[in-house]
Amino acid sequence: MLDTLARWLFDPSGLTPHGFCLLWEPWLIWTHAVSNVAIGVAYFTIPLALTVFARRRRDLAFKPVFWLFAAFILLCGTGHWLDLLTLWVPAYGLEGIVKAGTAVVSVATAIALWPLLPKALALPSQTQLREANRALELLAEERRLSTEALRESEAQYRTLFAQAPLPLHSLDLDGRILSVSDRWLEFMGFGRREEVLGRHLTEFMAEEAKQTFSTCWPRFVLQGGFDDLEFQLIKCSGEVADVLISARLIRDEAGAPVRTMGAIVDVTERRRAETALRASEERLRQAQKMEAVGQLTGGIAHDFNNVLTAVMGNLSFIRKRAGEDRPDLVRLADNALDAAGKAAGLTAQLLSFSRRQRLDPKPLDPVEVVEGMRTLLQRTAGDRIGLSVEDDGDVGFCLADRNQLESAVLNLAINARDAIAGAGHIVISLGTEHVAAGPDGWPPSGDYVRITVRDDGPGMPEEIRHRAFEPFFTTKPPGQGTGLGLAQIHGFAHQSGGTVTIDSAPGKGTEVAILLPRTEAALDDRDQVRALVLEAPAGQGETVLLVEDDPSVRGVMATTLIELGYQVLEAEDADAALAAFKAAAGVDAVVTDLTMPGSMDGLELAEAVRARSPKLPVILVTGHLDPLRERQLLDGVTFLQKPCTRFQLAAALQRALVGVAEPVQM
């Protein structure tokens, strides 16, 4: 049987179907046979590998074409095995069917393959994939380095932000705090960031600043920034700080706003300095006003007071000579004297607020002064206004001019009455206060007596309170106020070494306080001598040298002195006075005007006569003290203010004759 199989396999005579085609060459026949076997095995192996590959690669592209291609290879393998079979068996029908199927699959594969060719070509090659992988690796490295650089940059930014020398804050778009610098925390007085993060910035602002913030915030978000807006921030301690805030809007890469960045500059000290400067400028303007009016007053005071001296002296003579027989003349003379007294008071007010009047400061009991005025003050206030006086029980003494103090208290009571304008209450309180010197050094540090006049009137708005001490400034209707009352009080207080303050607001009434230096001194013997002298002002035939350049004034004073019992030598200037002094047998006193034309004024004349007679009493008579400023005064020189009454002239002359000289207070 094996022999038969071998002959069938290896005997070419049995290969009739292909014998003619293969030239009956065994080697050629077997070459085709072996090749078909190998090709068939390979063709069957390839689809098997492709099937395994396709099952494991579920994301395989072009799967339909892939399966067509696998079917095509499988049919091709089948065709090769049929070629092997037909070497011995003429199964050409089966081979034809297989080849027909192969043709169908191959044509379908070709038809499907060509449209997919561009897509297949678009698939990256291995080289491209390697290059892409390298590019991705480089990109990943760049991103890693960029991320590290970004992290480092953010760390540096946070460090720079936190340690910036300026107070910095970052807010969200609602105005809430996202972060703050160390300097911000230090400036605002907070110890930890947790105390402020998440809070709205307006929580640290004064009320007016909150309104400013709410107004400017929408405009800031729209415009993207602002510079040096003024705000008031309230620190942790409650202290209010004036600051300038500049801010910018921070946007992301797409340009959308994400947060804000703000910087704070503390200008509190600058504002205080500016306020102090404005106050100094205001004081300078006030001083300039006072100086200007003072110069004007000083210029006219002498001549005006000369006129008043003559008018008042002659009116006194008319009244005295009218006697009881002419009551009508007495009434007219009294009216004229009252008008002249008011004119003299107006001049005194001008001199007072310009600090050019003569003061006679001495220890006073302010409680006794005010209590002594109670009846006058109550009458001044009227029946519908209650008046009360309060003191703390240990006021002590103050150093002041009694007449000026009484005038100041009376003026304040009148102002309070006019402010109430109806039913109300006036309280005069007295106490002591220790005052520390202000920025300008005034008033000096020390203990002061505080005299306060308080009313329950409508109060003053700030703009009026600020101008209350200005000369000629008044809120009263024309004819009801000169505007000199508070200015006079201001000048009196400052010239006395103290000050005056006003505390007032609409609806809260007004409180005016006069501060005068407190003293422990008591009345001296000189005051007792004055009291004794004033009881007997008439002369005993002493000779008085009267020097006055104005004839009307000289005539009035000479007549007055003669009626007082003195002998009078008259002179119109210093030269005539020296000649009369030398020619006279004896002069007991000199009464001289301070300001005179000629080679010498009254002070120089006093020096000349005192050089010849060192103990000779000299009385300087003048309407203002400007000529005495910056000049050395002689001891024992008596001063007399124009216009002077008969009693004042007599008292001054008597004091001079008994050796009690009035000091000249500048």
Side-chain angles (χ1 to χ4, degrees), residues 8-20:
W8 182 73
L9 289 173
F10 299 107
D11 185 5
S13 61
L15 300 176
T16 305
H18 294 290
F20 294 101

Side-chain angles (χ1 to χ4, degrees), residues 364-376:
L364 297 175
D365 181 354
V367 177
E368 183 270 327
V369 172
V370 174
E371 287 292 348
M373 299 175 63
R374 183 188 284 269
T375 302
L376 174 63

Side-chain angles (χ1 to χ4, degrees), residues 478-507:
Q480 296 187 22
T482 63
L484 290 174
L486 288 177
Q488 177 189 7
I489 295 171
H490 184 272
F492 154 68
H494 277 249
Q495 194 172 357
S496 300
T499 188
V500 59
T501 62
I502 295 182
D503 183 14
S504 182

